Amino acid sequence: MLLALVSGFALSQAFRTITAIMATGLRAEFGLSAQALGVFAGAFAFAFGTMQLFMGIGIDLYGVRRTLLVAFPLCIAGSVLSAMAPGYGTVLVGQVLIGVGCAPAFLVCTVFIARYFPASRFAMVSGVAMGVGGLGMLFTGTPLAWLDQQSSWRMGFAVLAGLAMLAWLLIFWKVHEPALPAHPAHSAPHRESVAGAVRSFGALFLVPHTAGILLLALTTYASFLTLRGLWLGPLLIERHGYSLVASGNVAMLSSLVSLFTPAYFGRMDPGPARRRRWLVAFTVLMAAVFATLGLARSEWLDVGGSIAVGLLAGYMVLQYSDVRSAYPAAMTGRAMAVFTMAMFLGVALMQWVTGLAASLASERGADPYVAVMLTIAAMLAASALAFRLLPAPVRAD
């Protein structure tokens, strides 16, 4: 059942990383600026992020299966609309529909793991699920670049629509809600009204350690996805003269290494006592990599740095473990929903801000990619500092 759920997450991973390869075609057909391209990429993440609260309520009240089966058809509809879009506005609406449809895709996986696997295995199983789900990003590397070059970006959306339909059918066939294990940590929350569930989300924001968790969540995954899903293709094509397929090869290599590191970091989880220090240290290291990408302007460093970002991105699985241990079991679904909401609102924010930074730099005759990479590095460093200084969860020793 978990593998069937992960198939939906894999399609979500594909949709959120298409812009890096489709950017050239979209710019040529619709005459988009860097800022408009950032808005296009961020539309998916904004829709995805804003729906997390509602998806968390749906999962807690109606279950993993029904929530995903109801939402995912919007992803298929958005893909078809995008493939047929006559203009920029229509393809933007398509991105929003895809974002809403994909909104529960990984949340259902993390809640399923939290409810039906022991807490000691949460980080490891989540890491494996993230790695397998990351296979979706491989399609948006060389295969999508080749398809785009042979046909158009519209054909990419059409193929993804077909794959999304197959994933929905697999989930419908294979996924059923099992009984919760007879263990206090996995006891099912009592049935409550939708209004009561909405009010209960407010309690999460009143917990002192929520602020630090959410501020870090705004930038970590956003940094990886802003590079891999938006700027990597344009960076290699415009700065170093790569072809679309060559840039797709680099994107696929970065995605490939990112498949394995979540499981590795999940196995290496140091536990609550040291996990938060690891999160700060790796976030600072990620900021340093982006600063190097911005300042070095070397072809080999740009290629190697993008692969390094894929390698380091696996540490973000520890954030899920941090959230899992920071809140009571009965709040798991909505705590994960708020965390995921922050992650994807952060993606939308970072993609919009970096698009603005690139446009401003271009207007002043500066290298837009220096502005993009340094902006990402600064946002990562600021969130690491906030996470370090704001209150942490109180551990029960």
Side-chain angles (χ1 to χ4, degrees), residues 96-134:
V96 171
L97 287 175
I98 293 169
V100 174
C102 289
F106 188 55
L107 184 59
V108 295
C109 298
T110 56
V111 173
F112 185 90
I113 295 166
R115 288 180 178 174
Y116 302 108
F117 287 83
S120 60
R121 297 181 61 197
F122 179 82
M124 184 190 71
V125 177
S126 295
V128 172
M130 288 181 71
V132 175

Side-chain angles (χ1 to χ4, degrees), residues 257-343:
V257 298
S258 73
L259 299 184
F260 302 100
T261 53
Y264 173 77
F265 278 100
R267 290 180 63 87
M268 296 296 291
D269 183 1
R274 296 168 54 205
R275 185 186 298 132
R276 291 174 68 87
R277 291 199 293 273
W278 278 40
L279 286 171
V280 171
F282 279 108
T283 302
V284 171
L285 180 58
M286 186 75 91
V289 173
F290 276 99
T292 302
L293 282 171
L295 297 174
R297 307 195 203 192
S298 159
E299 177 183 350
W300 293 109
L301 282 176
D302 283 347
V303 173
S306 67
I307 295 170
V309 168
L311 283 168
L312 286 173
Y315 87 90
M316 297 166 196
V317 73
L318 300 179
Q319 290 180 272
Y320 285 95
S321 300
D322 187 47
V323 174
R324 172 70 176 79
S325 63
Y327 300 96
M331 298 176 73
T332 297
R334 58 205 74 181
M336 290 292 184
V338 170
F339 171 72
T340 308
M341 176 191 71
M343 276 206 314

Side-chain angles (χ1 to χ4, degrees), residues 4-19 41 44-49 52 55 68 71-72 74-76 79 95-109 129-130 132-140 144 157 160-161 163-165 167-168 171 221 224-225 228-229 320 340 343-344 347 351:
L5 291 174
V6 168
S7 71
F9 172 54
L11 265 296
S12 173
Q13 289 279 63
F15 280 114
R16 71 188 63 168
T17 52
I18 55 174
T19 311
F44 171 97
F46 182 77
F48 190 106
Q52 291 305 303
M55 296 304 168
L68 190 57
F72 207 62
L74 291 175
C75 167
I76 301 167
S79 305
Q95 282 291 94
V96 171
L97 287 175
I98 293 169
V100 174
C102 289
F106 188 55
L107 184 59
V108 295
C109 298
M130 288 181 71
V132 175
L135 290 170
M137 288 191 292
L138 296 185
F139 176 77
T140 59
L144 182 61
F157 274 117
L160 284 169
L163 293 175
M165 175 61 75
W168 187 91
I171 292 162
Y221 184 60
F224 170 69
L225 202 59
R228 171 59 185 85
Y320 285 95
T340 308
M343 276 206 314
F344 281 90
V347 172
Q351 290 181 337

Side-chain angles (χ1 to χ4, degrees), residues 95 116 140 165 189-190 199 202 214 227 230 232 298 302 332 367 395:
Q95 282 291 94
Y116 302 108
T140 59
M165 175 61 75
H190 68 279
R199 286 194 299 271
L214 296 187
L227 177 65
L230 175 56
L232 182 57
S298 159
D302 283 347
T332 297
D367 185 337
R395 293 192 300 112

